[in-house]
Amino acid sequence: MEIKKQEFTKPLIIAGPCSAESQEQLLATAKDLEDKATIFRAGVWKPRTRPNSFEGEGQKALEWLKVVKQETPLKVATEVANAQHVEACLKAEIDVLWLGARTTVNPFYVQEIAEALRGVDVKVMIKNPLHPELSLWMGAIERLNQVGVSQLSAIHRGFFTLEKSAFRNEPKWEIPIKLKRLVPELPIICDPSHISGAPQMLSEVSQTAMDLNMDGLMIETHYNPSVALSDAQQQITPNELGVLLDNLILRTSTNANTEFRTLLNNLRTEIDAIDKKLVDIVGQRTEIVREIGRYKKENAVTILQIERWFEILKSRKDWGHDTNLDPQMVGELFELIHKHSVLTQTHILNK
Ligand code: PEP
Ligand code: MN
């Protein structure tokens, strides 16, 4: 991929309302954000889950964004979901476009938007798809990049879950971390508003994003959240945003202090030694798994005995408890080990 380096000071702050509702709302909010943000966001076309909700003011709101651009030092950004949106935004000289979570899920929509942007090097931000599938997120980034959009960034807005969760959208931090590993030069902006779904958790999520060395934050900000026409429950005022930003602790990714470096290196050497032992021990376990597989084959016994699997999961979680480990982590670890043990024995039985 060819990602052009974009100049900005970290963290890049993108703020503004969920939706553009009126010229007055946009300008009043933007004026109060002038000293806090670099990019002003506002949704002009709103993807709503149910019909008959407020679906955005549409094209005329682009004119309001133009006024924000003229009257403040802020750059302006909005969501595009089809080729017509793209054309209207380019005509209105919107600085930054973003693809929403409901668009990234569909390669047809993404390709249509990409075609409308062929040869136009405008800044584009791509939100993660609704569900936790990194390859769809990557696919959308690649589709945009292939038509020549090189000033790309990703927005991490959390993932839909059916499980009980304190978040509106589960952060699943491991997914943006994996994206960073695959495309290190791609800036990743965190959207704590759509992750939290309420103001209370915004600070904590923003702090975690900074501690994971993300490049910026997109936070929904409204001059009067209680009357907002969409996402009223999660927006904060520009003043509250100011407080949140002032309280963020910005740590550096390295520290030149020799004492710090020596201690960190020593601890990492210890981790390396432990990981080596861990891999050796998993190797020994797998050898026994193979032996059991051969034995089961000789005696015409199935691979899976469900009671044994229940017993393994339960006892390992109990042992983990004694060692201060999160039962979820122990559970996931043994599910992975067990999955591969079953695969190993399947190969043996099928030979
Ligand atoms: C939004 O940013 O207001 C929005 C609709 O977000 P998402 O696509 O992340 O749901
Ligand atoms: Mn929103």
Side-chain angles (χ1 to χ4, degrees):
M1 251 190 278
E2 280 189 34
I3 309 288
K4 200 185 282 171
K5 191 163 165 39
Q6 300 170 54
E7 295 303 331
F8 57 83
T9 22
K10 266 173 83 168
L12 176 71
I13 304 298
I14 306 170
C18 178
S19 303
E21 298 164 1
S22 68
Q23 177 72 83
E24 185 224 347
Q25 170 235 17
L26 286 195
L27 206 52
T29 310
K31 285 273 178 205
D32 286 347
L33 286 171
E34 269 183 15
D35 56 340
K36 301 175 182 72
T38 306
I39 301 177
F40 183 75
R41 63 146 283 156
V44 163
W45 299 278
K46 295 306 296 180
R48 303 309 297 275
T49 307
R50 306 282 299 271
N52 309 323
S53 325
F54 171 69
E55 292 188 321
E57 291 291 344
Q59 198 149 334
K60 72 167 181 279
L62 295 177
E63 297 303 315
W64 306 337
L65 279 176
K66 266 165 100 173
V67 174
V68 168
K69 215 174 133 161
Q70 282 153 11
E71 307 264 318
T72 71
L74 298 164
K75 299 228 176 295
V76 294
T78 199
E79 172 173 351
V80 291
N82 61 38
Q84 292 77 39
H85 295 168
V86 171
E87 275 155 33
C89 285
L90 294 178
K91 213 183 266 167
E93 294 179 9
I94 302 299
D95 304 291
V96 186
L97 312 181
W98 86 78
L99 273 62
R102 289 160 193 77
T103 301
T104 311
V105 287
N106 190 322
F108 285 132
Y109 304 155
V110 176
Q111 192 60 38
E112 183 192 322
I113 293 169
E115 292 306 335
L117 283 169
R118 192 176 281 281
V120 186
D121 204 9
V122 66
K123 291 191 168 79
V124 180
M125 309 190 289
I126 302 182
K127 287 201 170 197
N128 65 256
L130 291 173
H131 50 279
E133 194 180 348
L134 176 59
S135 56
L136 265 181
W137 199 4
M138 273 294 287
I141 295 162
E142 285 163 349
R143 281 176 199 278
L144 269 296
N145 196 229
Q146 276 181 12
V147 295
V149 179
S150 65
Q151 301 181 76
L152 282 166
S153 356
I155 302 180
H156 167 234
R157 51 79 78 199
F159 302 88
F160 175 80
T161 177
L162 285 172
E163 278 155 36
K164 196 163 159 276
S165 168
F167 300 98
R168 177 178 176 196
N169 290 290
E170 276 290 310
K172 297 191 182 292
W173 298 103
E174 67 280 11
I175 296 182
I177 291 174
K178 189 152 183 203
L179 178 64
K180 191 80 203 166
R181 178 159 69 76
L182 295 176
V183 198
E185 65 279 25
L186 182 76
I188 304 183
I189 313 290
C190 181
D191 171 348
S193 299
H194 289 86
I195 291 177
S196 310
Q200 299 81 284
M201 264 186 309
L202 283 179
S203 291
E204 194 184 315
V205 174
S206 305
Q207 186 62 54
T208 303
M210 292 300 94
D211 291 338
L212 292 176
N213 211 5
M214 289 195 171
D215 299 276
L217 297 170
M218 178 191 256
I219 299 186
E220 284 188 342
T221 316
H222 193 291
Y223 73 152
N224 184 2
S226 64
V227 302
L229 297 178
S230 60
D231 284 349
Q233 73 297 340
Q234 73 191 24
Q235 305 202 54
I236 56 173
T237 62
N239 261 342
E240 289 166 334
L241 178 70
V243 174
L244 184 153
L245 296 177
D246 285 346
N247 286 326
L248 275 184
I249 303 168
L250 299 177
R251 301 175 167 98
T252 49
S253 63
T254 55
N255 187 323
N257 180 297
T258 352
E259 199 182 327
F260 165 81
R261 281 174 170 253
T262 314
L263 186 60
L264 185 68
N265 280 339
N266 290 348
L267 291 170
R268 283 182 169 166
T269 310
E270 278 183 51
I271 289 273
D272 289 347
I274 290 174
D275 284 354
K276 170 81 174 68
K277 279 194 207 154
L278 204 57
V279 171
D280 286 348
I281 251 174
V282 175
Q284 286 171 28
R285 189 186 190 281
T286 308
E287 209 30 72
I288 298 176
V289 165
R290 287 196 194 98
E291 200 175 320
I292 295 179
R294 289 189 289 268
Y295 198 55
K296 283 177 178 167
K297 187 175 183 178
E298 277 166 32
N299 290 281
V301 169
T302 57
I303 294 170
L304 184 67
Q305 279 98 33
I306 199 72
E307 310 72 38
R308 167 71 179 151
W309 174 219
F310 287 147
E311 201 273 314
I312 289 185
L313 262 185
K314 164 138 195 1
S315 55
R316 277 45 171 184
K317 282 186 190 173
D318 289 347
W319 298 341
H321 185 262
D322 300 340
T323 342
N324 228 346
L325 287 174
D326 178 356
Q328 187 177 338
M329 178 197 167
V330 179
E332 284 177 20
L333 181 62
F334 277 92
E335 276 186 37
L336 184 70
I337 290 180
H338 187 255
K339 176 179 123 181
H340 286 277
S341 300
V342 169
L343 278 177
T344 303
Q345 295 193 349
T346 311
H347 289 316
I348 291 173
L349 264 70
N350 288 342
K351 242 196 320 225

